[in-house]
Amino acid sequence: RRDEYMGANLFNERFLSRREPAWHRLGKVFPENEKLTVSEAMSKADVLFKVDKYPQFVRMPDGTELETNSYAIVREPTSDDNNYKLLSTVGKEWTPIQATDLARMLDPISEKFPIETVGALGFGERIFLTLDGKETKIAGEDHHLYWLVSDSRDGTSGLTIAFTPVRVVCQNTLITGLRNSKVSVNIKHNKSINADVEFYLDIFRKMATTKEQVVNALNSLTKTTLVEEQISLIVNSAYPDASKPSRVRLSDSFNKIPVDLWETIKGEQEKHLEEYANRQKRIQTIRDHAYERIDVFNQEFPRFAQSSYAIYQAIVETEDYRRGHDKSGTALFGSRADAKARAFNKALSFVN
């Protein structure tokens, strides 16, 4: 079943959800009426494994070891993996948030916003959970509100809490590109981390402000009717052209070169041009799917037709359900989330 895990990018079956199985059908389910703290949920999901930092050395041919300024992040062995796992390389100041500390810090927040899901991605380099923020109206439609909490254990980022509405009618996950869609937790992966045990006292005010700003921004998307050129700009922003391979760009710049060398370069160029053309073709196929979803959305919701809101929602739906990605975690993290954010930012730029 490793193929399934890879499709969902889960760390084996480390996933726990309320009420019903997630789209990937992996992990465990707990009853709707069961109230869990973050600590309890993370324990059930088996994501309380530790990560530690170790100094890295360079071993020379004669066996001499040289110190470096870098450190390895290593995950401890787990119940289903007896080996230590190298996750990443970081600098001297980085210190991990242990999962048990993270859970303890988030327990008071889950009293107000109940746990909905908990999981781990990759080989444990990211732990995430969603908190239930109840429902509200956005653009006159029902939306279920969630707070997506994630912590990277590979040095790429710290702890974030992101406001993530889900459109109830179709279950589209609305990832926005707003900088203020994420709450600053003021906890970094540094030596002071375990001293910040009272960090959550300021969180609720920030979460309320963030919710208001994001909801207002989403509502504003309904107020502008776009022309075709603006719609194309949003779609192309979500799905930019493929970058031309470096060897093709290099050969394009050549003028006078020997014939035999040119024949070698030409052969290489043709191979890379074919690869580039195939990537561009895949991007255009996704764009075509997005335009199809725009037409469908305009027909189903005529009051929003041709609005920034319609174009954004169509792209969100394209990313949530397009073939090859329907079982991928990238709707919340990674490429699909990035496409949604680019579309949102461009759509918002047309709002008066």
Side-chain angles (χ1 to χ4, degrees):
R1 299 187 65 193
R2 183 61 184 167
D3 289 344
E4 289 181 321
Y5 304 151
M6 294 299 290
N9 197 30
L10 292 175
F11 178 21
N12 293 344
E13 291 204 20
R14 285 175 172 80
F15 186 83
L16 176 73
S17 64
R18 183 184 299 277
R19 291 187 303 270
E20 57 189 22
W23 26 263
H24 43 65
R25 302 290 174 183
L26 300 175
K28 305 172 184 177
V29 177
F30 65 99
E32 183 173 6
N33 60 358
E34 184 177 357
K35 187 173 183 180
L36 298 177
T37 64
V38 173
S39 295
E40 292 167 339
M42 290 178 72
S43 177
K44 282 180 176 287
D46 194 19
V47 300
L48 292 178
F49 47 83
K50 292 180 62 179
V51 295
D52 284 303
K53 184 179 75 172
Y54 299 93
Q56 291 185 321
F57 298 86
V58 176
R59 178 171 292 174
M60 306 307 291
D62 64 359
T64 302
E65 291 189 343
L66 303 179
E67 292 186 11
T68 70
N69 291 322
S70 62
Y71 292 76
I73 304 176
V74 179
R75 190 211 70 217
E76 70 177 357
T78 61
S79 59
D80 50 355
D81 184 355
N82 294 327
N83 300 312
Y84 287 93
K85 181 69 178 179
L86 176 64
L87 299 181
S88 187
T89 298
V90 295
K92 180 179 180 181
E93 296 302 316
W94 192 90
T95 300
I97 305 176
Q98 296 302 343
T100 51
D101 293 330
L102 175 63
R104 175 178 51 81
M105 293 173 183
L106 294 175
D107 278 341
I109 297 177
S110 65
E111 290 292 324
K112 182 175 178 65
F113 301 106
I115 282 284
E116 189 73 14
T117 62
V118 180
L121 300 180
F123 294 98
E125 56 264 35
R126 184 187 292 270
I127 288 176
F128 70 93
L129 56 96
T130 56
L131 305 175
D132 187 351
K134 305 192 184 305
E135 294 191 356
T136 192
K137 295 282 188 180
I138 298 177
E141 297 184 308
D142 291 330
H143 284 70
H144 206 123
L145 310 181
Y146 296 97
W147 294 96
L148 174 63
V149 183
S150 65
D151 180 52
S152 295
R153 338 285 296 287
D154 59 2
T156 57
S157 63
L159 176 66
T160 61
I161 302 179
F163 181 64
T164 310
V166 173
R167 192 162 163 253
V168 172
V169 68
C170 58
Q171 294 300 294
N172 286 351
T173 304
L174 309 185
I175 301 294
T176 72
L178 288 177
R179 288 185 179 180
N180 56 9
S181 68
K182 294 183 179 179
V183 173
S184 173
V185 182
N186 292 327
I187 283 195
K188 305 295 183 183
H189 287 268
N190 57 41
K191 290 181 178 178
S192 67
I193 193 165
N194 287 319
D196 296 326
V197 294
E198 301 300 322
F199 82 100
Y200 54 83
L201 295 178
D202 192 42
I203 291 289
F204 295 121
R205 176 185 61 80
K206 291 181 178 179
M207 292 173 80
T209 301
T210 296
K211 171 186 170 181
E212 180 181 3
Q213 291 172 335
V214 174
V215 169
N216 287 343
L218 286 166
N219 280 325
S220 73
L221 296 182
T222 67
K223 299 176 182 178
T224 302
T225 301
L226 305 178
V227 298
E228 291 301 322
E229 182 181 357
Q230 293 171 315
I231 294 172
S232 294
L233 287 172
I234 296 174
V235 173
N236 291 344
S237 180
Y239 310 115
D241 288 338
S243 58
K244 187 174 288 189
S246 58
R247 291 192 180 184
V248 174
R249 294 198 305 271
L250 181 63
S251 62
D252 285 346
S253 66
F254 290 157
N255 291 319
K256 295 181 179 181
I257 58 174
V259 174
D260 56 343
L261 178 57
W262 170 246
E263 289 300 322
T264 301
I265 293 174
K266 184 179 179 182
E268 284 290 311
Q269 185 188 45
E270 289 176 352
K271 180 179 69 174
H272 291 292
L273 277 174
E274 182 179 359
E275 175 189 330
Y276 169 64
N278 288 336
R279 290 207 307 266
Q280 190 61 36
K281 183 178 179 181
R282 287 194 294 270
I283 291 171
Q284 188 56 52
T285 298
I286 298 172
R287 288 174 180 169
D288 292 341
H289 288 323
Y291 281 113
E292 290 175 7
R293 298 317 308 165
I294 290 170
D295 288 339
V296 171
F297 191 94
N298 286 339
Q299 294 173 34
E300 292 182 349
F301 304 94
R303 70 185 187 279
F304 299 135
Q306 300 295 101
S307 67
S308 291
Y309 184 77
I311 312 310
Y312 170 62
Q313 288 287 354
I315 289 172
V316 168
E317 187 157 328
T318 299
E319 289 307 291
D320 278 354
Y321 298 105
R322 67 183 171 93
R323 182 179 300 176
H325 288 262
D326 55 323
K327 292 186 178 182
S328 167
T330 56
L332 295 175
F333 310 103
S335 60
R336 290 196 293 158
D338 291 343
K340 296 176 188 181
R342 290 193 297 269
F344 180 87
N345 284 339
K346 196 64 177 179
L348 190 62
S349 73
F350 295 123
V351 174
N352 296 327

